[in-house]
Amino acid sequence: MGSSCQEDERSIVRRCYARAAMPHDVGSAITVREALALDCMRGATIVAGADGAERRIRGVNVMEDADIVRCMRGGELLLTTGYTIRDDPSALGRLVPALAERALAGLVVKLGLYVDAVPDDVVAVANRLGFPIVGLPAETMFDDVLSEVLGTILNRQAVELERSTAIHARLTQVAVDGGSFSELAEAVSELVQRPVTIRDAQGGVLAATAQVPDDPDAPHVVRPIRAGDATHGDVVMWTGGVDLLPHELMTMEHAATVAAMAIAQERSVLSSEQRHRTLLLMQLVSRRPIDRAELARWATAMGWDMDRARAVVLVELCDGAGERVRVAGQGVEDRVVRAAQDAVRPRPIVWALRSGLAMLVEPRPSLGRVARDLHDALGRTGAAEGVMVAAGGVAADVDELGRSYEEAGSTLALGRELSGRDFVLQHEELGVYRLLSRLPLDELRRHRAEAIGPLLQYDRDHNGALVHTLEVFLRCERNRVRAAEELFVHYNTLRYRLAQIDELTGGLSGDSTARLNVELALCAHRLVLGREEA
C-alpha cells in the first residue's frame, strides 16, 4: 500500500479526533446500516454481527489504545486500524465483548494494514452478541468517515431541533389562543398525519379527530396527561400497527404537556369560581339581609334565575363504616356534583360542602321525585355507601331560602337519628316533628326536661336504657311481647322497665294528656339531638 493510504492512527487522533454531542432522543442518530450507505463508507461491509446493523450511532471515535473502552459512553462507532492490537492476536476477541457491554454502535476495522481479516472466533463472538464489525477498505480515510458520519448526525439533530421548535410553536399557539381539546387534537393530527384522541381520567373522550378506529383495541400509543401528581387523562395516537417516528413521539409529549397546562389552568379558574359561588350561595341561605340590586348582579353573572320557587336540598355521604365522606376540594367533588346536576331537571344550582352537597332545586314534577332521583344518581357514582338526602320546604322567593335551608338541615339531622345513614326525607313529611321544629331549641329542651327528664337522668346515672325502651314500646304500639322481642330482653325485664318508666314519668298509666306529653317529649328529644349534631 502507498504511504498516503497508510495513516498513522496517533496522528489521526491528534489531527481530527471528534465526537458528536449525545442527543436526548434517537431521532438524530443513524443506524450502522445507514452509515454503510454513505459515500465515505463505499466498499465497507459488515463482516460479523450483522444482526446489530440497526444499532444507532450517536458519535464517532478513533481507538488510540485498547483502554479507550473505559471512556466510552455508549452509542459510539469506534474506528481502528488495529495498530494498538497488532502484536496481540487475542486482543480483538477480548475487545468485542467489552465494546458490546458498553453498548457501542459498532467497530470499524481498516483491513489490510495491521489486521488482514477478522478471526473466525471473533466473528463467532460478534455474531452471538449481535455486535457489528465493519471491514473498511485500507484506502478509506478516517477523517472522511468522521466528517460525513458526524455531519449526517448533526444535520439530523438540526432537522430534529427545527422540527421540535415547529411542533412546540404550533401546540403552544393552541394553548395561548385558549384552544379547546378538539383544536389541540386537530393540531396534533395535522403534525403527525395520524388519528388522535384526547381522553379524560375516566376514559371518556374529550376530543377525537377523523378516522379514529371504532375498535378501542386497535394499535395505539398513549401518553398520560399529568398535572402535579395526578393523572387527568391521556393523549392517544392511533398507529395502524406502524411504529411511531421520533418526532411523532415528541409531538405526543408536547401535546400531553399542553393539555396538562390547560387542565391545570382550567381547574384553577374553576376552583376560584366555585369558592366565590359557594360564598354567594351560603350568604343567600343564611338569612342575612340581601341587597336586591347586588343579588340581581350576582344572578346575572352566574346565569341564575332567582325569580323561580326553589327548595334547599342537603346531601351527606358516608362510607361503609358510617364515617362522613369529604367532598369539597376532594377528587370525588367533580363526580358527585356532575351526577347531581345531571340527575335533576331543570338543572339545579349545586355547591359542595365539607361532607356533601347543597343545592337549590325546582320542585318539578315534585320535590319528593327530585329528592329520590338525586339519591339514586348519587348512589350510582360509587362515591359512598350511604346517601342521605334531606329537602327543606319550597321557598316562594329568595327571602325564604334561609328558612328552607334551616329546614333541610334539621331534616338531615333528624333523618340520621330516625333512619340511619341512607334515606330520603322531606321536611313536609316530618309530621309532628315539623311542628316541633318551629319551636325554639330552648323550648324543646324545656318540654323534654319536664316530661322525660327523670328518665334521661336515670339513664345517665345508671348507664341505663329506659328512654330507648320507651321508644321501642311506643313504636310497637304498646305491645309488650313485640317490644320485648325487638329489645332482645325477657318479657319480665320489659315489665320491670315499664314500671320504672311509669313511676318516673306517669306517662304510661296516666290520662291521655300525660301520655301525649311523654310521646311529644320523645319527639322533641330526637329533634334536639339532631339539631345539636347539626
Side-chain angles (χ1 to χ4, degrees), residues 109-280:
V109 181
K110 185 176 286 193
L111 300 177
L113 291 179
Y114 305 104
V115 177
D116 292 326
V118 178
D120 291 341
D121 59 330
V122 176
V123 171
V125 171
N127 287 338
R128 177 170 56 83
L129 297 174
F131 182 78
I133 300 177
V134 177
L136 189 69
E139 65 271 14
T140 301
M141 304 291 287
F142 275 179
D143 56 353
D144 290 341
V145 175
L146 285 162
S147 176
E148 190 166 0
V149 173
L150 287 174
T152 302
I153 293 173
L154 292 172
N155 285 339
R156 287 197 179 186
Q157 287 182 13
V159 170
E160 288 298 318
L161 180 60
E162 184 177 351
R163 181 178 281 160
S164 175
T165 302
I167 291 169
H168 180 75
R170 178 74 175 87
L171 298 184
T172 300
Q173 192 61 48
V174 173
V176 170
D177 292 342
S180 64
F181 286 120
S182 294
E183 290 171 313
L184 177 60
E186 291 293 343
V188 174
S189 181
E190 180 183 310
L191 288 166
V192 300
Q193 296 298 303
R194 296 180 190 265
V196 173
T197 302
I198 299 178
R199 303 184 300 201
D200 62 21
Q202 287 73 45
V205 176
L206 297 174
T209 63
Q211 298 181 337
V212 169
D214 294 330
D215 180 7
D217 295 324
H220 63 279
V221 175
V222 177
R223 285 294 179 272
I225 300 172
R226 297 186 184 277
D229 295 331
T231 298
H232 298 287
D234 48 47
V235 177
V236 183
M237 192 174 292
W238 303 92
T239 66
V242 179
D243 291 341
L244 294 186
L245 298 173
H247 79 275
E248 294 174 319
L249 291 170
M250 182 194 312
T251 303
M252 289 190 70
E253 297 290 352
H254 278 307
T257 301
V258 170
M261 291 169 56
I263 288 174
Q265 183 178 16
E266 185 179 282
R267 285 178 174 270
S268 177
V269 172
L270 182 60
S271 177
S272 178
E273 289 180 350
Q274 286 176 337
R275 285 195 297 271
H276 188 52
R277 278 167 47 92
T278 299
L279 290 173
L280 296 180

Side-chain angles (χ1 to χ4, degrees), residues 10 15 29 36 82 84 121 127 156 162 185 188 213 231 249 313 336 363 385 411 447 457 464 499:
R10 292 180 183 274
R15 180 164 48 83
L36 289 175
T84 59
D121 59 330
N127 287 338
R156 287 197 179 186
E162 184 177 351
V188 174
T231 298
L249 291 170
V313 174
V336 296
E385 292 292 324
T411 302
H447 181 70
Q457 188 63 47

